[in-house]
Amino acid sequence: MRYLLVTFIDMERSLKQRPHYLVEYLRGNGSLHVLSIKYGQKVGKRKIKNCGDYINIAVECRFIDLFNENFLYDRLEPNSYYDVVICEGPWAGLLGIRLKDRGQARLYVYEDIDYFPAFFEYDYIYEIVRSMENRCMTKADVIFSVSNTLKELRSSYIDKNKIYLSPNGIEKINKTTDLKENIILYAGTIDEWSGLDLVIRAYSEITTVETRSRLLIYGDGKMTKEYNNMINRLKIADRAFIKGKISHKKLLDIYSRSLIGLCLLKPTELVRYSFPIKLIEYMASGLLVIATKCGDMERIINESGSGILIDYGKEQIKDAILQLLGMNAIKRQEMMSNGIEYAKRYKWDNIFEDELSVIRARLQV
């Protein structure tokens, strides 16, 4: 079987994400090429690297180049043929359509990993991306949606018989220490929708009544400087820290020692259809979770019994953190065990085996 995965994750430089785990799974199931996009000014530059059991083709481009339907197609070898082309998002999907229409792919699979129009503030770009997304999914042979809310949305206007749920997952259950430190943790993108502005304000009030905890924030993003300034203005720089990016291995070590994991994302359209991978990673490491009542986060916390759901607000965040910090050991251990057990449903190998079973069945039709 010959596969092509098209992703907008820089496979060589970014932290491990869904496409990295998909590559690890697929490379043992056939011949694999990966077309990965990196943003830069050397438009069209290709770097081909033989990674042993797969070929990575890194293509440099500007964001505007992705709206050119020929751009990615022209970066492949002429007359390339694949049994299966797997495309993450609408810009990758344009390549999938082209390969299928030209007889260069037997099966075109669309990985529906986000509601992409919601990334854009301007109505004009929002509508262009929404139209691209709809076209790419209408033409796809199979769609794998990452969340229940996204699958339900797509099923309202696309043939639901070709749409399957394929959530984000974990590599394994993380070893956790018996004695947790009073670390309140956020890991992920530092953006306006991350909810960190309310978290920092709530934590500044917590420090006036509680003295043992620390707030640790791992990641980066456009709001990093603003939130660092906020920490300094509120005079909590001795208790709250933005640590930046670290390796996934080091992050898992922090998880294992931490007590509370925050997934207090602002309930926007983007968040409503997302499946935050941090939620399952927190559970797999035995963290107590606080999450916003929005999208799949609400369902996951209700099903797992691993934490607290709250409405999005500063006072609600403050009360939830104080509740978990003051929780008795028996109840705390029960929540941790619930989360670990629930996370076992979301192992990457099982998720991708389900995907491959669908793909094999479709190829035999």
Side-chain angles (χ1 to χ4, degrees):
M1 193 81 72
R2 187 173 167 85
Y3 296 94
L4 172 66
L5 170 63
V6 188
T7 176
F8 289 84
I9 298 297
D10 187 336
M11 297 296 289
E12 294 184 348
R13 295 186 179 181
S14 72
L15 295 176
K16 287 185 80 171
Q17 299 183 52
R18 184 184 182 99
H20 293 92
Y21 294 107
L22 182 53
V23 165
E24 288 179 1
Y25 188 83
L26 287 177
R27 65 189 185 186
N29 286 276
S31 171
L32 174 63
H33 285 184
V34 179
L35 182 62
S36 62
I37 309 304
K38 57 184 295 185
Y39 295 107
Q41 295 303 312
K42 296 179 181 178
V43 178
K45 179 184 176 183
R46 291 197 314 166
K47 178 184 176 184
I48 301 175
K49 182 178 179 181
N50 188 333
C51 300
D53 43 10
Y54 76 96
I55 304 295
N56 187 62
I57 308 165
V59 176
E60 193 163 332
C61 70
R62 301 162 301 176
F63 179 64
I64 194 171
D65 296 315
L66 301 178
F67 292 87
N68 176 353
E69 295 192 17
N70 295 316
F71 181 81
L72 292 180
Y73 182 79
D74 290 342
R75 269 72 209 167
L76 289 177
E77 294 297 323
N79 302 316
S80 298
Y81 177 82
Y82 300 95
D83 294 291
V84 182
V85 55
I86 302 173
C87 301
E88 293 188 334
W91 298 279
L94 294 176
L95 176 59
I97 292 172
R98 179 64 61 88
L99 290 171
K100 184 69 186 292
D101 286 349
R102 295 199 173 191
Q104 292 175 253
R106 285 178 63 195
L107 197 75
Y108 157 40
V109 177
Y110 185 88
E111 288 255 314
D112 186 23
I113 57 175
D114 266 310
Y115 183 63
F116 281 94
F119 281 101
F120 303 98
E121 297 178 8
Y122 298 105
D123 290 345
Y124 177 69
I125 300 178
Y126 181 103
E127 290 301 326
I128 289 176
V129 175
R130 187 172 69 87
S131 177
M132 288 172 60
E133 206 179 52
N134 292 349
R135 179 185 167 207
C136 289
M137 285 185 287
T138 299
K139 298 280 283 185
D141 297 302
V142 180
I143 299 168
F144 292 114
S145 294
V146 77
S147 69
N148 278 275
T149 49
L150 201 52
K151 181 175 181 287
E152 289 167 6
L153 173 69
R154 306 311 190 191
S155 297
S156 67
Y157 59 89
I158 294 171
D159 179 8
K160 64 182 180 181
N161 293 314
K162 67 177 183 179
I163 306 174
Y164 299 83
L165 181 66
S166 183
N168 285 324
I170 55 168
E171 190 170 9
K172 60 183 179 180
I173 299 298
N174 191 29
K175 290 183 179 179
T176 182
T177 59
D178 293 332
L179 187 61
K180 292 277 192 175
E181 300 176 34
N182 281 351
I183 296 173
I184 303 158
L185 180 74
Y186 172 87
T189 303
I190 301 176
D191 208 322
E192 291 170 327
W193 49 261
S194 66
L196 287 173
D197 55 337
L198 294 187
V199 168
I200 292 167
R201 291 190 178 98
Y203 189 66
S204 71
E205 296 182 11
I206 289 171
T207 60
T208 65
V209 296
E210 186 275 334
T211 60
R212 298 176 58 193
S213 68
R214 289 180 293 154
L215 173 63
L216 302 185
I217 298 168
Y218 288 90
D220 63 10
K222 67 180 184 180
M223 297 301 290
T224 301
K225 183 176 180 180
E226 173 68 25
Y227 293 157
N228 257 321
N229 290 339
M230 184 184 296
I231 287 170
N232 290 324
R233 285 198 308 272
L234 294 171
K235 299 180 180 180
I236 55 172
D238 59 331
R239 302 275 301 274
F241 309 89
I242 297 180
K243 296 287 195 175
K245 272 188 177 181
I246 59 174
S247 71
H248 193 252
K249 183 178 180 180
K250 289 180 179 178
L251 188 59
L252 290 178
D253 179 62
I254 299 295
Y255 283 174
S256 70
R257 296 187 283 110
S258 299
L259 179 64
I260 298 171
L262 303 179
C263 202
L264 294 163
L265 309 183
K266 188 176 181 179
T268 63
E269 187 176 43
L270 177 64
V271 170
R272 185 186 314 140
Y273 296 116
S274 69
F275 188 107
I277 193 170
K278 65 173 68 64
L279 199 57
I280 303 300
E281 287 189 337
Y282 289 162
M283 292 181 190
S285 298
L287 276 77
L288 309 176
V289 182
I290 307 175
T292 314
K293 290 179 182 177
C294 182
D296 273 27
M297 292 187 291
E298 184 169 359
R299 175 187 60 81
I300 289 167
I301 297 299
N302 280 331
E303 288 180 354
S304 66
S306 63
I308 298 175
L309 277 171
I310 64 169
D311 293 318
Y312 185 73
K314 178 174 70 70
E315 289 303 314
Q316 291 88 337
I317 293 170
K318 174 185 171 183
D319 292 345
I321 291 174
L322 287 173
Q323 180 182 338
L324 292 183
L325 287 173
M327 182 174 284
N328 69 64
I330 295 174
K331 181 61 177 175
R332 181 183 289 182
Q333 187 58 51
E334 180 185 344
M335 274 192 174
M336 289 178 178
S337 298
N338 288 344
I340 290 171
E341 191 61 33
Y342 187 82
K344 292 176 182 178
R345 306 181 188 183
Y346 290 90
K347 291 186 177 179
W348 282 122
D349 281 354
N350 296 335
I351 290 167
F352 293 137
E353 177 56 34
D354 289 344
E355 281 201 13
L356 216 57
S357 295
V358 172
I359 288 170
R360 291 188 186 113
R362 289 279 175 162
L363 286 171
Q364 292 172 3
V365 172

